[in-house]
Each structure stands twice: as C-alpha cells, then as structure tokens.
Amino acid sequence: MRKIILILIVLVVGVPFGFRQLMTLINTSTITADQDEIAAQLEDEFRIAMPPGYKGAFGMQVGFFGVQGANIVALVPQDADPEAIFEGGRSVKFSPGEHTIALAIRTNSGESKEHTYRDLQRFALGDKDDRPPLTEVFIQAGDRRVAAYEQRDVVYGQDTLGYFIFLDNGGLVFVVGPAEGLDHAFKTSLASQLSAAYPANELLYAHVEQPTRDASHPCGLGELPERIEVHAIGIRRGDHDLPGVAIDPRDDSASEQSVAVGRTEAPVVLVLMSAEPTLWKVLSTPEADIAGVLATGDGLQRVIGLEPGVPLKEIDPNARNSCRSFHAYEDRGRQFDDVEDRVFEIFAQSIEHMHTVHGGNYFRIGEMTAEPVLRGSLTVEDIIVDPTEQVLPGKLGLTQLKEAGTLEIARPSDLDRWLGGFAAQGIDAERYRRRLSMNFNMERVFIIKAATELPSGMYGAHSAVFLVDAGVPEPGGDRAHNTLVFADGRCVGTVCP
C-alpha cells in the first residue's frame, strides 16, 4: 500500500524531483499502448471491463528492486490524446485538462494487513500539516455504497477533483478531472464494477477508522497526554566516543550524543535512534515539557538527564520479546519507512519532525528560552557496564582478562607446544597449524589460564582463537565466532580443521 500511496502522491501533485528519487528504485518492466493488452490487464488485475466511452492510455508493469511490484492502467476518454495528458520519461506526470481520467494500480507489497491499514490511515486521514485529511464520501453503486476519499487540488494551475477508491490486497482506483466538469457517471461506473467484482472487500465499503493509542503497547510509554509532538532523532553514532567503557553488554563500542529540549507547542515524545550503542544526554530548559522518551537502535541505547517520573523505554535489541528495535539515520528510504510505521503503530500519530543533523553541541528541539541542563540524578557511571560484575564485551573484555592474569597473548611457540601434544595422540597437527597460524599475525590468539567467561559480541572480524590450558574448565559465556582449542586435541569453533 505504501508503494501505491507514493506513486499516487507523486503523480497527482506532479513533483518531478520526488518521482526521480522513486525511479532510482523502480525498473519499468513493460509498458504498452495496445488497447487489447490494456483491457486484458484491467480485467486480470481488477476484474473490470473498459467503461463505455473510454480507452486505455497505457498499461505499465513496474518492478521494484528487480521484483514485480505494481501494475498500472491509465484510462482516458475515447476522444482524448494520451500524450496531451501524460508526460512520459523518468518523471511521469499528468494534467487532466478538460478530461476525466483514471489510474488503476495494483501492488504486490507483501506488507501485513495491519501495516497496510496504518499506511492508509496516514494517507487518508492526513499525517502532516501541509497535507490535510481527505474528505470521506460514499459513491452509490446500485444497492451498495462504495467508500471513497475526495481530494480537491491544484494541478498545473487547474482546480481538480479526485476520488480514491481502495481495495484489499493492494488495489487502488483513482479518478480525477476538472473540479467543475468531472465525469461523475464514469466514476460511478467504475465503482459499480468494483462492487460487483468484490462483494466482500473490506476497504471498498468502509472508511478507515481514526487511529487510537494503546497505552499497553509493548513498545509504548504508558499513558500520555492526548496531544503530543513526536520528534525522532536518527544517527549512526554519537558525536563523542566513550573510550574504555561499554553501555551494551554485547558491544564494546560506545559513544554519547546530546539533545536539548526547549519550549514546544505540545508535550514532546523523543524517539532516539542510533546504529551503535549510544548514551543519550537529554538536556532541557525549565519550560520544556517532555512527555516520554523511547530509545532504540541496533545496539542498546541508554538515556540520562530526565526528571524523575518521565516515562522512558530503552529497547534492548538483543532481547527476544514483543518489542523489536528499529532505527533510521536518514529521513527517507526503507529504514525510515519502517520507523514511520512503528512510530504510528506505537503512538497512533506520525513523526512531527525527523532530525538527522544538528549544529553546535546538540540536537535542538523547540525554542531555547534558557540554557538547557541535565536533570535527574543518573550519571554516566550509573549506566555503564560494571567490570566488577561481569566480563566486558569484545576488546574491552580481552583487556580486562589480560590485566587480571586470566588471559595472555599466545606466541607461535605456544602453538607448537599444543600441537606437540596433539602429535603424541595421533592428531594431524599440521592441519591445525595451517588453519591457526594466520591468526598470530593479527594477534588474535590467546591462552586461557583460569576459569572465565568469554567476552560477548566477538563475531566476524572481532573473533579470536583461544588455547585452553590443561586443567582449565571450558569457558562459559557467549562463544560467538570464537574458536576454542583444548590441550586434549578437541577443537570447537569456526577455524577448526
């Protein structure tokens, strides 16, 4: 459904820049002007026939990312010249002029029914100040009433009147023409055919309902004021590194990012997102009204600076629960589409503003009427992973274990000692040597001298080889992509021969 909406907004408003961006993702598979082919496509995709007095302007099959994504059929009056209405090329636009035309679009989006419904809610009910809600109307189609959405707009200086009719499973018929001369009989004819073809289609007969906020949503913040502003901030990582500490028990990288909140028209909900573990410092002025904070990303996000009692949810991306993490650090693209949908699902309203860049020392939300400061009692020390309670992740954990004497860097002579014991047991030591020797060049081989947990998060290029000394129990914790070589010849892991 999102693909339908995106195409129609671009075509109706006629914004070539937006369509050029869309076309970077679209590969037009086929386009035809053959009347028989267009009529067949209309029948196959919508189960309706060409209305009397109309003909096909074109039929188009569009691919998204190399997958068949949409079928589009354009209808115009018999006496109309399609080339005078539609502008081809990479930015398809149209101006109906004196004619009433129609676009029938069917997509294969693969989205869930709930996701599709939220897309339609945002589109039909309006999700931005510059795009007000469409007017809900009904088209009498025989003994049935077809639900439609009326839009009055200006296209190329002309006042137009348009009607959107949605179908379940990614279908849409859009009729548009001059505001004072729309062919309503054509519109009614299409609605009647659709009603006959789809007698039990939910979206065809009922308008979407107003979204309602669920205070018990697993990703939500509980009870919130009725009117809020949702401000999302997306970054790859924070402005400043936090060397030597971890805020995510599974990741040894950590940075911090500051956000300042001032006076706003309504209480603010902050959605803080980062691709890496980030400590968010939320500063505020006395006039700031923070209704709640949701922090999410690929790594664990932590937040300080809030007054006691401000609702806070820090989504753990490693937890297996009903609240999956999400993030985007650009205001367009698939990740941002997912963020928009998740925010609408959680808060029953759209993002007021997506912030991805800032000037000065922090992101600014609202009017700064005074110097913003951190509030509450939480400090950085309160939220970092405590090395006295657990092994730190990744390279921080390796350093921690080396300093404790539990781990030491192995040398090639140590491998010789291990392999010498293997040979006495009839194990092919040279196979081990060929597999393990390259890791010495990268200082990724260690001897475990005492019982320990392995540092977590050691995947891919961060993995290592551990030679487990005789008499030392098998280490616990997150094995990840590490390799364990035991004195008795056992080998467990990714680089074992």
Side-chain angles (χ1 to χ4, degrees):
M1 185 67 74
R2 175 178 294 117
K3 295 169 184 174
I4 290 179
I5 292 170
L6 183 55
I7 291 172
L8 262 294
I9 289 174
V10 172
L11 290 178
V12 173
V13 178
V15 182
F17 175 73
F19 197 81
R20 281 198 298 271
Q21 288 182 320
L22 175 66
M23 292 302 288
T24 63
L25 307 179
I26 294 176
N27 169 43
T28 302
S29 303
T30 60
I31 185 168
T32 180
D34 183 272
Q35 293 300 305
D36 291 338
E37 291 183 7
I38 296 172
Q41 188 173 338
L42 192 64
E43 174 67 31
D44 291 342
E45 298 297 331
F46 294 91
R47 308 180 198 167
I48 60 177
M50 188 69 63
Y54 278 76
K55 65 181 180 181
F58 62 80
M60 182 186 297
Q61 293 181 328
V62 182
F64 291 81
F65 301 100
V67 178
Q68 189 61 39
N71 289 276
I72 306 173
V73 177
L75 309 181
V76 298
Q78 285 282 4
D79 60 350
D81 178 7
E83 293 186 2
I85 297 174
F86 293 94
E87 178 182 333
R90 298 288 290 181
S91 54
V92 178
K93 300 176 291 181
F94 63 81
S95 175
E98 63 179 350
H99 304 291
T100 298
I101 65 174
L103 287 169
I105 301 177
R106 168 80 70 183
T107 69
N108 179 25
S109 66
E111 302 286 5
S112 68
K113 182 178 179 180
E114 294 77 14
H115 192 155
T116 296
Y117 197 82
R118 289 192 295 269
D119 281 338
L120 183 52
Q121 282 180 314
R122 295 206 302 274
F123 177 68
L125 303 176
D127 59 358
K128 300 292 183 185
D129 290 338
D130 58 350
R131 196 167 66 77
L134 302 177
T135 302
E136 296 180 355
V137 298
F138 284 98
I139 302 171
Q140 194 65 40
D143 60 349
R144 303 294 298 271
R145 294 200 311 164
V146 169
Y149 300 89
E150 181 183 278
Q151 179 191 57
R152 294 183 181 273
D153 204 351
V154 178
V155 179
Y156 291 103
Q158 176 189 17
D159 291 334
T160 61
L161 178 60
Y163 291 89
F164 296 89
I165 303 172
F166 287 94
L167 297 168
D168 297 346
N169 303 322
L172 166 64
V173 174
F174 176 60
V175 180
V176 64
E180 300 301 324
L182 185 84
D183 185 350
H184 289 279
F186 172 54
K187 173 194 69 181
T188 302
S189 171
L190 288 173
S192 298
Q193 285 204 66
L194 292 171
S195 177
Y198 303 94
N201 193 285
E202 182 179 347
L203 290 178
L204 189 58
Y205 303 107
H207 296 111
V208 295
E209 298 177 354
Q210 289 284 347
T212 56
R213 189 179 302 148
D214 181 5
S216 63
H217 192 287
C219 297
L221 299 170
E223 294 291 344
L224 294 171
E226 182 177 353
R227 183 172 178 239
I228 58 174
E229 292 182 12
V230 180
H231 288 258
I233 299 175
I235 57 176
R236 286 182 170 86
R237 59 179 290 109
D239 284 343
H240 306 289
D241 288 334
L242 292 174
V245 301
I247 61 174
D248 185 335
R250 294 173 176 266
D251 198 317
D252 58 15
S253 66
S255 62
E256 68 175 35
Q257 178 63 58
S258 295
V259 180
V261 181
R263 182 171 61 194
T264 53
E265 293 184 3
V268 168
V269 168
L270 298 177
V271 179
L272 308 177
M273 303 176 292
S274 177
E276 297 185 14
T278 301
L279 166 66
W280 294 88
K281 292 183 174 180
V282 179
L283 303 90
S284 58
T285 69
E287 293 186 273
D289 187 354
I290 302 176
V293 177
L294 175 65
T296 177
D298 281 352
L300 184 62
Q301 311 293 300
R302 303 302 308 271
V303 180
I304 64 173
L306 301 177
E307 293 275 16
V310 174
L312 168 66
K313 178 174 287 293
E314 299 162 327
I315 299 177
D316 185 352
N318 304 304
R320 296 182 180 272
N321 54 38
S322 57
C323 181
R324 63 178 176 87
S325 63
F326 57 92
H327 87 281
Y329 44 79
E330 295 181 345
D331 58 1
R332 61 179 61 86
R334 280 187 159 185
Q335 283 189 319
F336 179 65
D337 288 344
D338 182 55
V339 168
E340 280 197 309
D341 181 66
R342 295 298 304 283
V343 167
F344 195 84
E345 173 193 347
I346 297 167
F347 300 112
Q349 69 179 70
S350 297
I351 298 170
E352 183 80 14
H353 190 78
M354 174 74 176
H355 307 261
T356 58
V357 295
H358 67 87
N361 298 319
Y362 41 68
F363 284 93
R364 287 172 168 78
I365 309 296
E367 181 185 359
M368 298 297 122
T369 57
E371 186 66 23
V373 298
L374 290 172
R375 304 183 188 277
S377 59
L378 275 180
T379 66
V380 176
E381 288 70 25
D382 294 322
I383 57 89
I384 62 175
V385 179
D386 188 348
T388 65
E389 296 183 355
Q390 70 175 80
V391 177
L392 295 176
K395 60 181 181 295
L396 298 177
L398 295 177
T399 299
Q400 177 187 4
L401 294 176
K402 285 187 289 185
E403 291 177 349
T406 305
L407 208 67
E408 66 179 42
I409 297 177
R411 296 164 297 177
S413 58
D414 294 312
L415 180 60
D416 291 339
R417 179 161 55 90
W418 249 261
L419 297 184
F422 290 0
Q425 301 175 60
I427 300 172
D428 186 352
E430 290 308 308
R431 291 184 64 203
Y432 276 86
R433 189 185 305 280
R434 288 193 297 269
R435 294 283 290 178
L436 302 178
S437 60
M438 68 178 64
N439 292 278
F440 285 94
N441 299 330
M442 296 177 282
E443 297 188 346
R444 286 167 45 190
V445 184
F446 303 91
I447 299 175
I448 297 180
K449 310 291 290 183
T452 185
E453 298 275 309
L454 292 174
S456 61
M458 298 184 66
Y459 292 89
H462 302 287
S463 62
V465 174
F466 295 96
L467 307 178
V468 184
D469 228 342
V472 174
E474 181 173 337
D478 180 16
R479 184 172 293 165
H481 290 161
N482 295 314
T483 298
L484 302 177
V485 183
F486 298 87
D488 62 3
R490 286 186 301 129
C491 183
V492 179
T494 57
V495 297
C496 293

